[in-house]
Each structure stands twice: as structure tokens, then as C-alpha cells.
Amino acid sequence: MNLIVTGGSRGIGAQCVLALAKSGHAIVINYARDASAAALLVSKVQAAGADAIAVQADVASEPQVVQLFAQADVFFSRLGRGPLNALINNAGIVAPKAMVADMSLERLRSVFDTNVLGAFLVAREAAKRMMRSRGGEGGSIVNVSSAAARLGSPAEYVDYAASKGAIDTMTLGLAKELAADGIRVNAVRPGLIETDIHASGGQPDRVARFKSVIPMGRGGQAKEVADAICWLLSDAASYCTGSLLDVAGGR
Ligand code: NAP
């Protein structure tokens, strides 16, 4: 695969990268701020036999997304490979727990700029390169949504939940739009997964606090989500497009 993973340096994205770190794959690991985590992952991927680079880009910035894809084009071409054919559209953020009544415009802009506009910009750049009608070779896109899209996340982050609702709808529409171009588009909807995202939203103990509402009685591991993403991305899921796969312990 010639693959880009946005938000690939930590958490679910990093587990996807590690699962795909074998010879035959070239992986562009995008990150926002933590260059050392991205560099460490690149060295692990290379040790496992795949080609990899880390590229800093904020997905909420159109020029930075364009630059991310341009750097990926050069990377694949230098390796003598074809164009991009796989994307894990994963970067996403939460803001601190709040009622909608208390959400500032600045917060709403930040969540929607990253989670919705960022995911659209990334999908746009990928589609351009993969579409057979535009010289591409087809491919596979997996968007990372959330179970929050159907739960709503009341009194925590309805903004985040709504942003993931947009990702579900984007997945359904884009799958239909791109099917004839040889591109499958699917999404996973993780539930409560043990990553740093909860601490970044000011709730480091969130998984432990909520695990009693999960039918399986525990939070998920990032690798359990990555395995689902990698399956949807692969030819093993060759007749899946427009699918929204819940990975949420039954919740
Ligand atoms: P995480 O552990 O917080 O990792 C986030 C990753 O995204 C990091 O690599 C980070 O890079 C990168 N990132 C953050 N903002 C970015 C931006 N603006 N542009 C580019 N990269 C950015 O998160 P995670 O839990 O793995 O979440 C990954 C995805 O799964 C997100 O879309 C999230 O909404 C979704 N999800 C997570 C859960 C959960 O319980 N963990 C549940 C449902 C859905 P830096 O380290 O450089 O900042």
C-alpha cells in the first residue's frame, strides 16, 4: 500500500501504522505537534521492513494538508511506487467536557475545523489522487468516526459527537460518489478506547468511569480498533463500501 495515516503518531493511528509496518508498504505518518513520537514510530516501522516518513501538518489548515499530500507524492515517487492508494483519515480532537449552553464559538470552530473540515480536506486530496477518472489507480479510505455520532455525548461534548455525525454522512456520500472510480470508503466508530485523547480533553479517567455502561465491561484497546480499520482498508473487505463499523464493546 501507498498509505497516509493522519494523526498516525499516537493512539489508534499509531496502532494502525504498526499493524501495517511490513515490507511492501510505504507509510506517511502525519502528526500535529509531537515530532519525537512520530520520529520514534518511523524508526519502528523501518525496523519492521516498511518505508516510512513523518510529516507535520495540522489537518485544519488547507495549505498544510496540501503540503502533506505533496510530500507524500514525492515520497512514493522516489521509492518508484505508484500513487497514493490508501488513506486512514484519523486525526481528531475533543475539547474539555461542557454543556452546549457554555460552548464558545472558538471551541466550536476548533472542533469542527479539525474533525470535519480537516477530514474533508484530507479526503479531497486523497480522492483527487486515487480517482481512476483522474489518472489514479483506485484505493481505499477509512474514516475514523465515533460511537458518539449515534450516542450524542450529552453534558460532555455534543460538538464532538456532531462532528463525527458529519464523518458518518461524508462516508456514506463519498462511498457512492467514488465507487465507480475504484475507491472504497468506509468508517469505524470506536467506543471508549484507552488512548491519551481523554486526558487531552481533561478527563484522564474517562474510560474507567464509564466502563460500567459498556456491555463488555471494559474499554477497548487502540489495537482492537486498528485491526478493524486495517481490515476495512484491505482487499479482504473488497465488497464493503459505505459501511460504518462499530468497534465499541456492544455500546
Ligand atoms: P490521540 O491518542 O489523542 O492521538 C491523536 C493523534 O492525532 C496524534 O497523532 C496527534 O498528533 C494527531 N492530531 C491531533 N490533532 C491533529 C491535527 N489538527 N492535525 C493532524 N494531526 C492531529 O487520539 P486517538 O484516541 O487515537 O483518536 C484517533 C481518532 O479516533 C480521532 O478521530 C478520535 O476522535 C477517534 N476516536 C477515539 C476514541 C477514543 O476513545 N480514543 C473513540 C472514538 C473515536 P500530535 O501528538 O502530534 O498532536
Side-chain angles (χ1 to χ4, degrees), residues 118-216:
F120 261 90
L121 291 170
V122 167
R124 179 190 78 188
E125 292 304 309
K128 272 185 202 171
R129 286 161 173 81
M130 292 180 185
M131 291 169 76
R132 288 185 182 143
S133 58
R134 298 192 186 193
E137 296 177 2
S140 177
I141 296 173
V142 180
N143 296 319
V144 181
S145 173
S146 172
R150 54 184 171 71
L151 296 170
S153 304
E156 271 203 302
Y157 22 64
V158 173
D159 53 349
Y160 170 82
S163 76
K164 295 301 189 177
I167 296 305
D168 286 2
T169 305
M170 188 246 272
T171 302
L172 299 176
L174 202 55
K176 290 172 182 157
E177 192 170 298
L178 296 178
D181 263 299
I183 305 166
R184 294 183 302 103
V185 185
N186 294 288
V188 293
R189 293 195 295 204
L192 280 162
I193 310 301
E194 308 259 14
T195 73
D196 295 341
I197 200 170
H198 310 291
S200 70
Q203 301 188 69
D205 61 342
R206 185 164 177 265
V207 177
R209 272 194 294 116
F210 281 98
K211 71 180 180 193
S212 60
V213 302
I214 302 168
M216 286 179 71

Side-chain angles (χ1 to χ4, degrees), residues 31-228:
Y31 67 99
R33 282 165 291 272
D34 189 346
S36 56
L40 182 63
L41 191 58
V42 167
S43 59
K44 284 186 190 168
V45 172
Q46 289 169 340
D51 292 298
I53 54 168
V55 179
Q56 191 280 331
D58 177 352
V59 296
S61 158
E62 184 175 33
Q64 291 183 36
V65 171
V66 168
Q67 181 59 25
L68 163 66
F69 278 78
Q71 283 187 242
D73 292 341
V74 170
F75 174 60
F76 299 140
S77 157
R78 281 209 185 119
L79 292 169
R81 306 176 69 103
L84 177 80
N85 58 17
L87 168 71
I88 301 175
N89 198 357
N90 166 74
I93 57 165
V94 293
K97 175 177 167 170
M99 302 287 284
V100 171
D102 299 317
M103 287 180 186
S104 67
L105 177 60
E106 186 188 19
R107 170 209 172 103
L108 292 169
R109 283 221 165 102
S110 164
V111 169
F112 283 91
D113 279 356
T114 302
N115 293 3
V116 181
L117 297 186
F120 261 90
L121 291 170
V122 167
R124 179 190 78 188
E125 292 304 309
K128 272 185 202 171
R129 286 161 173 81
M130 292 180 185
M131 291 169 76
R132 288 185 182 143
S133 58
R134 298 192 186 193
E137 296 177 2
S140 177
I141 296 173
V142 180
N143 296 319
V144 181
S145 173
S146 172
R150 54 184 171 71
L151 296 170
S153 304
E156 271 203 302
Y157 22 64
V158 173
D159 53 349
Y160 170 82
S163 76
K164 295 301 189 177
I167 296 305
D168 286 2
T169 305
M170 188 246 272
T171 302
L172 299 176
L174 202 55
K176 290 172 182 157
E177 192 170 298
L178 296 178
D181 263 299
I183 305 166
R184 294 183 302 103
V185 185
N186 294 288
V188 293
R189 293 195 295 204
L192 280 162
I193 310 301
E194 308 259 14
T195 73
D196 295 341
I197 200 170
H198 310 291
S200 70
Q203 301 188 69
D205 61 342
R206 185 164 177 265
V207 177
R209 272 194 294 116
F210 281 98
K211 71 180 180 193
S212 60
V213 302
I214 302 168
M216 286 179 71
R218 66 173 178 88
Q221 298 300 310
K223 181 172 184 314
E224 295 177 291
V225 180
D227 287 345

